[in-house]
Amino acid sequence: MKQSSRIMYIENKGDDGLIGSARIGRVTFSKSGKSLHYAGHTFQTLKGTGFKSNYFDVETGDHYWISGCRKDGRDALYSTTAEIDEDVLEEYWLCIRELPQNIFETLIFVKMPSQ
């Protein structure tokens, strides 16, 4: 059985727990849906107990905000920049954002929902 995958926004919440490094990349889901896999890391859900985070890295304990990418690009809880993985670049700009003119842009400014 093939694992399901999705392009998602992945932000390490950093030392202050509010903002950190961010990426947009392809995440695969476990069969149960309770964990995600990305770039050799496994993330488990915090089940609503995290502060500005919804997953944690099972190896390091670091907290992350991981969410589906929005068409308007307002994926972050706080404005930051995000790097888009090369393997999802075309699909992200064509299918999610519907901005084909940006197809070669690998670094973007990500706004928070209320901006």
Side-chain angles (χ1 to χ4, degrees), residues 11-23:
E11 180 183 342
N12 181 321
K13 296 314 283 181
D15 293 334
D16 65 2
L18 296 177
I19 193 164
S21 60
R23 300 193 66 83

Side-chain angles (χ1 to χ4, degrees), residues 9 11 13 18-19 52 65-80 109-115:
Y9 174 80
E11 180 183 342
K13 296 314 283 181
L18 296 177
I19 193 164
K52 305 293 184 183
W65 174 255
I66 302 176
S67 67
C69 294
R70 295 169 44 142
K71 182 180 178 185
D72 64 8
R74 295 176 187 267
D75 301 313
L77 295 176
Y78 297 96
S79 298
T80 188
F109 180 71
V110 183
K111 295 180 181 180
M112 55 194 232
S114 62
Q115 282 187 329

Side-chain angles (χ1 to χ4, degrees), residues 17-57:
L18 296 177
I19 193 164
S21 60
R23 300 193 66 83
I24 293 172
R26 186 166 307 280
V27 169
T28 57
F29 298 90
S30 66
K31 288 181 184 179
S32 68
K34 294 182 181 180
S35 63
L36 308 173
H37 305 280
Y38 173 74
H41 294 267
T42 299
F43 302 92
Q44 283 188 338
T45 180
L46 287 165
K47 300 178 185 174
T49 63
F51 175 73
K52 305 293 184 183
S53 58
N54 56 357
Y55 285 88
F56 71 96
D57 184 319

Side-chain angles (χ1 to χ4, degrees), residues 75-113:
D75 301 313
L77 295 176
Y78 297 96
S79 298
T80 188
T81 57
E83 189 170 347
I84 306 169
D85 290 350
E86 187 70 33
D87 65 324
V88 302
L89 193 60
E90 184 175 330
E91 186 178 349
Y92 175 75
W93 287 115
L94 295 178
C95 300
I96 296 172
R97 296 293 300 276
E98 297 177 0
L99 296 169
Q101 68 272 20
N102 293 347
I103 200 163
F104 298 107
E105 296 293 325
T106 59
L107 189 64
I108 62 169
F109 180 71
V110 183
K111 295 180 181 180
M112 55 194 232

